[in-house]
């Protein structure tokens, strides 16, 4: 067995990767006292503290990293995403507020607007001279953005922004309740009596601290967490904005009301516009990952010092020496590493694609972003909950950090895309990607298409299965820690599940109603999305180890990757058994292997979480003092 | 298929069961405006509101229900537990504060004290003229109560209560930070230089609103939830209390310092004392169940009215019509029903056992209480989280109730016994119950014993397996909804897992260290505890249906019970496959059967949650208005 001793710094170097310098810079800044947690602040004081922190960030050159260099930006999209993610180590209200201001609001101006918007706004947004909102979600429509009901009617050279009824009120809008002055409002564009679908408009909402005429603003009030962000509701009573308020990169309205767009299909234009906004989703995933690291760093340190129950005739046992405790923490650490590398790969891909990516690659990236976001944020919710329980009563006290981590990250599973909806998107992307053209990604649109055209293509990709079958009769010891086996098992599972979904949809659609067909297969559809992401995540982990120059770090990470792969197989072993990919004996051997890996990695638990390099101010908790 | 139409009231009648009258009484009281949720109150205002609510409860005859009628009590233990549980529908801070005052503090005086304590205190405790604390947990020892380090040294006719160091500070003590005047303090009794183990003492901690001399009190500060309870820390600097301060039902110290006890073994005396305190654990489980019902009532109502995404060429789909949404909510409803009946059975058994139960039955009851508490509180955490996600962004707003439910119930998994430790207790109880005498229940004590004596007894109980094998080749349709099959499958699983644990422990102990032996089998030990509880829960559900006089209600509950059983089998089907209890084909059929049951029960989701009869004031949430 190789020597697994390694310094935390070596792991940090692997984790920090391509934007390591920037990560060091953010860590150094948020280590300042100013960026402290808001423990025991009331809502108003918390909001004020977050705004001050935001102003401190605005004095660096990072807020503009993602924008066009022509307007003071850095032209470094990957760096921009990285700088948001890093805020996930600290108060998540700051991460969200920064994300709203520079990611969603500024990002929409950059990516949906044109020169006139960039010229007028980007520098002011970057420098925080103009605070803004991203007003997409409505009371009645969150996931189904295509059916938003706010209207923007072209009338005498202007747009009239209107909230027709209660269900069209903009809901949960960050920066709306207190600080925002301008909002990017998503509304149905109507010109010449014709509805052209959802477009984005710049609408002033607050002037000199008071709601602009025709705009009604209310506060969403107390939330489970993230109370440093001033979420509010916005409604518009026939608010007139100039024609230039339309963010017109993908569509425009001429002075005479004529509508034009370089993208002919309404559907395709809509998804192209939405597609540019995946940066927010990626930032949420990255921040969720960093919050998870912080929770694990707390729980492992506590688990290493806390003792309970005496050995017969011996010392009091350290919590982390119990198998049950190792079982809670170590697979979660392994998955956190795995998801980190998948996230890093995603950021790198987005960065490298540039501003005019080929459509197929853009779609693939969107799907990957949706999937990684869903899996990472669910992992955050589960892991932070587990970390709280692993710290017992101490974990319940606010001073010990876990309550805020739990409360703040909770909404990540349903905002920037509800995870269930996102996994469906992933699955549909996979089904449609067999077809060489842009397809309708709406919820039910692909069903018939899939049913008619895809099945054979999907079910014939059986190369992975051959490897799995070849290794089926090998000795357990030769297989359980064999990376090829892990990879092929994940790949084969994905192909099989996807083929099964396609078959089910085809069978169900024959003579049936498309909603019923889709709905009866929904659990399989979600599963297809999940196992696809699992495969990408494992491959990203393997690639990261291959890049790792430090042999000791690589050796340790190989074991962590084993644990990630085997814990995943263990959790899903019912499927592998049902589908003849594991025998009963090997399935039990997988469970034993996870136990052995937990024991083997237990002495390295601390260095693994130290490698996360959580700034020490965010680990300042009394439960770690004694 | 039978007609499943039923009125909510019929379900409520089944659920309310034996203490139905009392339940109606509590529902009527907490429906008063005074018992409102504390939305947006700060900590001090919340504590004040809870104290006022507690005073309103004190004006009823329920607080004394569990005490001796000779001192104004009701002698109705089951009623007492029921009245605590019912508070779980409302603000959980009130439930916990009432539980501390009347359950833990008053309960310790009643059950560990003797006439002199009853005479002096019970009426004052009942009427809230004396507020008190239950000071057991210390900073260094929570789960391992036997090794508490606070001392009570007999000296010149008095006890000297002392906190030797930081680790012995009493921690998370309810009623300590603000309101408590007297505390039941658990401490190592030392007399004549000899330590006699943990005993309970009445110690004044606050006089006229200020800490008593020698007592240091601090506030635990903000917690994740339950901020209406004033948890605090207590330490004692050689505080002298009279000899009569010892709660002396199970042991006494004479004036000359002579120690005496009707129970010879220190270990047995300790567990007997602790055993009397299971009422608190039972109340927590019941309250967690009621909080879960409330969360489900919110999520089902929302899922019934919220629509998202249009059917092709049709209407917008109601959330609860999606299979994925049914999969989230319906199995959770079924398990909530199942756990309710297990809880009711537990309360009934405790009530019927009376004050001097046979030891074997008392042990069995303690084990059952531990197991039901662990499974119910984990179910609460998972279900409330799921309900939050099922309500999307709306579920994250405090006004919509779920944030407080989530935050308040979180600690239930680790207080009144950490769930992991409790499941271990359950498993050990099962192993030792084969031996006809009281056995050491400490963490490692049973290992060698098990190894030497039990194996054969355990592994020979194979009657259930025969039934399972007989039905293995039956038609799926004849088996999947066959209650005998469910029951025998659960029973057989329990026997097999328990036998496996015994074999593992024996094998490992042969020539090994008992800690290692125990630790290597810890995941199997926990599993044994879990599947034992699963079996008890299913049996309780079956028994409740058998008692049900209303045929329509019974028919619906049969389907709910099917869903409980099949969802449990589905979640654990890897085990059933590995152990040859399910074939691949039948395993897949179980998954399909769960889907069919979800569809079949979907139209009844609302009546199932209406049957919980959550008082309407606790469902007053804006997300249910539109």
């Amino acid at each position: 067995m190789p020597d697994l001793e390694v310094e935390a710094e070596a792991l940090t170097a692997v984790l920090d990767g391509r934007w390591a310098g920037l990560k060091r810079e953010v860590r150094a800044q948020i280590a300042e006292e100013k960026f402290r947690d808001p423990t025991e602040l009331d809502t108003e004081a918390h909001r004020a503290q977050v705004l001050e922190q935001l102003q401190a960030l605005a004095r660096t050159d990072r807020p503009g990293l993602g924008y066009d260099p022509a307007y003071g930006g850095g032209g470094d999209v990957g760096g921009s995403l990285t700088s948001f993610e890093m805020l996930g180590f600290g108060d998540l209200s700051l991460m969200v507020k920064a994300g709203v201001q520079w990611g969603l609001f500024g990002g929409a101006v950059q990516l949906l607007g044109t020169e006139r918007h960039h010229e007028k706004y980007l520098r002011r947004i970057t420098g925080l001279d103009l605070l803004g909102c991203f007003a997409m979600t409505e009371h009645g429509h969150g996931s189904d953005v295509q059916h938003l009901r706010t209207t923007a009617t072209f009338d005498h050279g202007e747009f009239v922004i209107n909230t027709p009824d209660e269900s069209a009120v903009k809901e949960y809008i960050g920066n709306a309740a207190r600080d925002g002055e301008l909002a990017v409002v998503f509304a149905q564009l109507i010109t010449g009596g014709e509805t052209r679908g959802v477009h984005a408009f710049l609408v002033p909402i607050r002037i000199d601290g008071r709601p602009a005429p025709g705009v009604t603003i209310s506060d969403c009030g107390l939330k489970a967490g993230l109370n440093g962000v001033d979420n509010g509701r916005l409604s518009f009573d026939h608010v007139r904005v100039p024609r230039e308020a339309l963010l017109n990169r993908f569509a425009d309205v001429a002075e005479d009301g004529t509508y034009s767009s370089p993208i002919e299909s309404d559907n395709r234009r809509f998804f192209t516009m939405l597609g540019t906004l995946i940066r927010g989703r990626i930032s949420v995933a990255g921040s969720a990952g960093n919050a998870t690291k912080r929770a694990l760093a707390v729980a492992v340190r506590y688990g290493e010092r806390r003792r309970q129950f005496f050995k017969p005739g011996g010392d009091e046992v350290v919590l982390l020496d119990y198998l049950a405790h190792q079982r809670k923490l170590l697979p979660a650490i392994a998955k956190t590493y795995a998801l980190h590398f998948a996230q890093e790969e995603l950021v790198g891909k987005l960065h490298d694609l540039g501003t005019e990516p080929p459509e197929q690659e853009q779609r693939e990236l969107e799907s990957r972003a949706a999937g990684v976001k869903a899996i990472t944020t669910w992992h955050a919710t589960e892991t932070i909950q587990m970390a709280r329980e692993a710290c017992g009563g101490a974990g319940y006290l606010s001073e010990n950090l876990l309550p805020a981590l739990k409360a703040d990250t909770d909404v990540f599973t349903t905002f920037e895309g509800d995870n269930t909806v996102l996994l469906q998107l992933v699955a549909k992307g996979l089904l449609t990607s067999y077809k060489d053209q842009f397809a309708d990604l709406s919820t039910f649109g692909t069903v018939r298409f899939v049913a008619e055209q895809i099945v054979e293509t999907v079910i014939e990709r059986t190369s992975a299965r051959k490897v799995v079958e070849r290794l089926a009769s090998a000795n357990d010891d030769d297989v359980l820690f064999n990376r090829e086996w892990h990879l092929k098992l994940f790949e084969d599972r994905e192909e099989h599940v996807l083929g099964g979904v396609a078959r089910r949809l085809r069978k169900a659609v024959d003579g049936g109603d498309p909603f019923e067909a889709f709905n009866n297969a929904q659990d399989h559809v979600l599963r297809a999305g999940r196992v696809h992401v699992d495969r990408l995540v494992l491959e990203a982990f393997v690639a990261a180890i291959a890049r790792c120059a430090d042999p000791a770090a690589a050796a340790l990470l190989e074991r962590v990757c084993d644990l990630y792969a085997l814990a995943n197989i263990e959790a899903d072993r019912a499927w592998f058994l049902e589908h003849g990919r594991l025998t009963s004996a090997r399935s039990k051997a997988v469970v034993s292997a996870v136990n052995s890996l937990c024991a083997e990695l237990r002495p390295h638990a601390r260095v693994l979480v130290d490698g996360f390099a959580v700034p020490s101010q965010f680990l300042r908790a009394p439960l770690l003092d004694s």
Side-chain angles (χ1 to χ4, degrees), chain A:
Chain A
M1 198 176 293
D3 179 12
L4 300 181
E5 287 305 319
V6 59
E7 300 289 321
E9 292 69 25
L11 293 171
T12 306
V14 184
L15 290 163
D16 279 2
R18 189 165 164 185
W19 280 274
L22 186 67
K23 287 183 179 176
R24 276 194 296 276
E25 194 185 309
V26 181
R27 275 198 191 93
Q29 187 180 20
I30 63 177
E32 291 168 17
E33 178 62 20
K34 180 191 284 292
F35 288 89
R36 67 190 173 281
D37 281 310
T39 320
E40 311 228 358
L41 293 185
D42 68 23
T43 298
E44 273 317 299
H46 189 190
R47 287 177 175 182
Q49 174 170 304
V50 168
L51 185 59
E52 270 176 47
Q53 293 170 342
L54 197 71
Q55 283 155 348
L57 294 180
R59 290 189 286 273
T60 71
D61 63 358
R62 294 192 302 273
L65 272 183
Y67 303 152
D68 191 338
Y71 307 97
D76 177 3
V77 175
S80 168
L81 287 170
T82 301
S83 69
F84 286 123
E85 277 178 28
M86 291 298 287
L87 298 178
F89 282 126
D91 178 7
L92 291 157
S93 285
L94 177 60
M95 184 284 289
V96 170
K97 188 141 174 136
V100 167
Q101 170 68 14
W102 294 311
L104 295 175
F105 169 59
V109 171
Q110 162 78 38
L111 294 166
L112 302 181
T114 54
E115 201 179 324
R116 65 185 184 214
H117 306 107
H118 301 160
E119 180 70 44
K120 190 165 172 189
Y121 297 114
L122 281 182
R123 285 178 206 273
R124 292 174 62 208
I125 292 171
T126 309
L128 224 53
D129 301 311
L130 175 67
L131 278 113
C133 307
F134 183 80
M136 179 182 270
T137 296
E138 294 179 356
H139 189 69
H141 292 93
S143 296
D144 187 3
V145 177
Q146 212 161 2
H147 290 95
L148 294 179
R149 304 191 57 257
T150 300
T151 51
T153 309
F154 192 71
D155 176 63
H156 293 87
E158 295 180 318
F159 287 105
V160 183
I161 310 294
N162 192 50
T163 305
D165 56 39
E166 188 63 26
S167 82
V169 171
K170 295 294 178 182
E171 181 68 278
Y172 321 127
I173 308 303
N175 263 352
R178 195 184 106 142
D179 296 328
E181 297 156 89
L182 188 68
V184 172
V185 176
F186 288 81
Q188 301 289 348
L189 190 162
I190 302 169
T191 179
E194 207 175 329
T195 301
R196 297 299 191 151
V198 173
H199 292 67
F201 303 83
L202 288 167
V203 185
I205 58 160
R206 190 179 268 111
I207 299 167
D208 297 332
R210 310 189 48 172
V215 178
T216 305
I217 306 179
S218 66
D219 197 312
C220 290
L222 205 65
K223 305 181 295 286
L226 298 176
N227 283 304
V229 183
D230 53 322
N231 292 87
R233 301 183 179 105
L234 295 173
S235 58
F236 304 94
D237 181 7
H238 300 90
V239 174
R240 301 188 76 92
V241 293
R243 193 175 61 90
E244 294 74 20
L246 172 66
L247 293 174
N248 61 337
R249 178 174 166 200
F250 295 111
D252 211 347
V253 173
E255 281 177 46
D256 67 354
T258 307
Y259 180 84
S260 64
S261 169
I263 305 174
E264 210 168 317
S265 149
D266 285 355
N267 217 23
R268 184 166 170 177
R269 185 185 323 111
F270 173 73
F271 283 107
T272 303
M273 284 171 55
L274 278 198
T276 60
L277 305 174
I278 58 167
R279 295 182 188 183
R281 203 164 271 172
I282 297 177
S283 299
V284 166
S287 304
N290 286 341
T292 308
K293 290 172 195 164
R294 187 180 175 194
L296 285 168
V298 170
V300 166
R301 281 157 194 247
Y302 186 70
E304 268 200 329
R305 68 185 63 208
R306 175 76 175 177
R307 294 169 179 272
Q308 204 75 181
F309 295 111
F310 286 81
K311 289 188 192 184
D315 294 335
E316 220 168 358
V317 182
V318 173
L319 288 193
L320 204 49
D321 287 340
Y322 287 106
L323 173 63
H325 215 75
Q326 295 164 8
R327 274 265 179 187
K328 288 177 189 169
L329 291 168
L330 286 160
I333 292 173
K335 187 166 177 182
T336 303
Y337 268 84
L339 289 168
H340 173 98
F341 294 122
Q343 173 73 13
E344 197 194 11
E345 194 170 286
L346 182 61
V347 171
K349 274 184 196 285
L350 178 72
H351 184 88
D352 295 337
L353 268 185
T355 49
E356 302 283 350
E359 195 164 282
Q360 184 66 25
E361 288 178 50
Q362 170 71 17
R363 291 286 95 77
E364 201 279 325
L365 193 77
E366 286 166 19
S367 163
R368 185 182 282 253
V372 169
K373 186 270 183 185
I375 302 300
T376 306
T377 55
W378 268 327
H379 175 63
T381 296
E382 281 160 25
T383 303
I384 297 168
Q385 176 67 36
M386 175 278 294
R388 199 300 286 163
E389 292 180 30
C391 292
Y396 196 64
L397 301 184
S398 299
E399 63 181 24
N400 290 326
L401 311 176
L402 294 162
L405 280 173
K406 196 165 117 79
D408 288 345
T409 54
D410 181 10
V411 79
F412 292 1
T413 56
T414 55
F415 86 174
E416 288 282 339
D418 178 277
N419 282 356
T420 301
V421 176
L422 292 180
L423 277 189
Q424 259 169 226
L425 260 183
V426 172
K428 287 184 180 146
L430 295 171
L431 292 167
T432 52
S433 73
Y434 289 97
K435 199 176 159 191
D436 232 356
Q437 60 173 91
F438 186 77
D440 176 2
L441 285 172
S442 71
T443 307
F444 311 111
T446 58
V447 170
R448 189 168 305 277
F449 166 72
V450 165
E452 287 161 7
Q453 304 189 27
I454 300 169
V455 177
E456 285 68 23
T457 330
V458 178
I459 60 179
E460 279 168 13
R461 295 202 319 175
T462 53
S463 62
R465 176 142 207 201
K466 285 182 189 146
V467 178
V468 171
E469 281 170 352
R470 176 166 59 73
L471 292 172
S473 56
N475 196 305
D476 278 348
D477 294 343
D478 296 336
V479 169
L480 291 176
F481 301 98
N482 176 333
R483 189 75 66 233
E484 188 191 11
W485 183 66
H486 302 154
L487 287 164
K488 292 300 176 188
L489 208 57
F490 277 50
E491 200 184 312
D492 169 49
R493 173 176 58 176
E494 179 184 353
E495 286 171 7
H496 190 88
V497 172
L498 199 57
V501 169
R503 273 192 304 273
R504 252 163 217 280
L505 291 179
R506 182 170 63 172
K507 215 163 113 185
V509 163
D510 285 350
D513 136 7
F515 172 71
E516 289 301 320
F518 162 79
N519 202 38
N520 291 334
Q522 196 180 17
D523 54 342
H524 294 269
V525 170
L526 293 172
R527 182 171 173 73
R530 185 180 279 273
V531 298
H532 170 69
V533 180
D534 287 349
R535 196 257 301 162
L536 295 181
V537 170
L538 178 60
E539 289 176 356
F541 202 156
V542 171
I545 298 174
R547 286 194 304 272
C548 175
D550 181 320
L556 180 58
L557 289 175
E558 288 286 7
R559 301 310 271 171
V560 176
C561 187
D562 284 341
L563 181 55
Y564 168 69
L566 288 167
N568 184 294
I569 296 165
E570 182 192 41
D572 203 20
R573 65 196 202 283
W575 186 90
F576 291 108
L577 285 157
E578 281 170 355
H579 294 83
R581 268 63 172 180
L582 288 181
T583 60
S584 295
R586 184 162 291 169
S587 179
K588 291 178 188 170
V590 167
V591 178
S592 298
V594 171
N595 282 350
S596 312
L597 278 169
C598 283
E600 187 184 343
L601 287 171
R602 185 261 172 267
H604 308 284
R606 178 60 183 268
V607 79
L608 285 168
V609 297
D610 285 353
F612 295 146
V614 182
S616 60
Q617 119 158 298
F618 301 117
L619 298 175
R620 225 189 269 153
L623 88 166
L624 300 181
D625 289 341
S626 54

